[in-house]
């Protein structure tokens, strides 16, 4: 597959890579559809397991903790990602204003997604708080210093 993409890219550039990827995706779809059609359906019972969405019987809902997790991982992490994007924009001004704006527009959602993912993998709120406060403080200090570190 890599060789086919390289040859398609060499012959027709980005268009060739797109068409080779489209062909590979179409072949994969046909193979999966054929396998789904000929495979008999299983008559197994659904698995008995909890998704842990609802609290166990006898325990509380822990709403303040859940609300704090939401606040830290959504608006606070988004604010940190915006500050990181502003730092990226400031550091990339030498590449031109348009390029700096595009880099900032890419940096914000990527930074937010990475920060939220890492934060939500932590078990303790204190670690989440530190993980959002440190980027905010560092980015704010860099912006305050005018981009000079």
């Amino acid at each position: 597959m890599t060789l086919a993409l390289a040859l398609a890219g060499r012959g027709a550039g980005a268009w060739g890579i797109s068409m080779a990827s489209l062909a590979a995706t179409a072949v994969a779809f046909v193979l999966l559809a054929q396998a789904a059609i000929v495979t008999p359906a299983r008559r197994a019972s659904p698995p008995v397991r909890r998704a842990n969405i609802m609290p166990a019987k006898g325990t509380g809902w822990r709403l303040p903790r859940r609300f704090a997790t939401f606040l830290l991982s959504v608006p606070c992490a988004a604010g940190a990602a915006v500050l990181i994007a502003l730092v990226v924009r400031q550091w990339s001004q030498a590449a031109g204003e348009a390029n700096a704006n595009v880099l900032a527009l890419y940096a914000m959602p990527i930074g937010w997604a990475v920060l939220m993912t890492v934060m939500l993998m932590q078990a303790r709120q204190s670690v989440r708080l530190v993980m959002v406060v440190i980027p905010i403080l560092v980015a704010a200090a860099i912006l305050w210093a005018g981009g000079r570190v």
Side-chain angles (χ1 to χ4, degrees):
M1 179 67 189
T2 305
L3 178 63
L5 285 176
L7 291 174
R10 186 167 185 218
W15 181 256
I17 293 173
S18 296
M19 290 299 106
S21 297
L22 182 63
T25 303
V27 168
F29 172 76
V30 168
L31 292 174
L32 286 172
Q34 188 269 342
I37 290 169
V38 300
T39 303
R42 291 191 333 190
R43 299 285 177 186
S45 61
V48 182
R49 65 177 186 221
R50 276 181 63 94
N52 290 328
I53 295 172
M54 303 296 287
K57 287 185 169 60
T59 62
W61 281 80
R62 300 185 315 231
L63 286 179
R65 175 181 164 77
R66 291 177 183 210
F67 189 65
T69 300
F70 171 79
L71 286 178
L72 284 174
S73 60
V74 179
C76 292
V82 167
L83 287 174
I84 291 168
L86 290 174
V87 168
V88 168
R89 184 185 186 283
Q90 193 169 30
W91 281 351
S92 60
Q93 283 291 330
E97 187 174 355
N99 291 333
N101 288 339
V102 168
L103 284 173
L105 289 173
Y106 278 134
M108 190 276 174
I110 292 171
W112 190 21
V114 168
L115 191 56
M116 276 196 328
T117 301
V118 173
M119 286 175 62
L120 290 174
M121 289 183 180
Q122 304 306 316
R124 296 184 310 168
Q125 295 287 44
S126 60
V127 177
R128 290 184 187 130
L129 182 64
V130 169
M131 291 181 74
V132 77
V133 167
I134 288 177
I136 288 173
L137 292 177
V138 170
I142 291 171
L143 291 172
W144 183 72
R148 295 177 301 275
V149 179

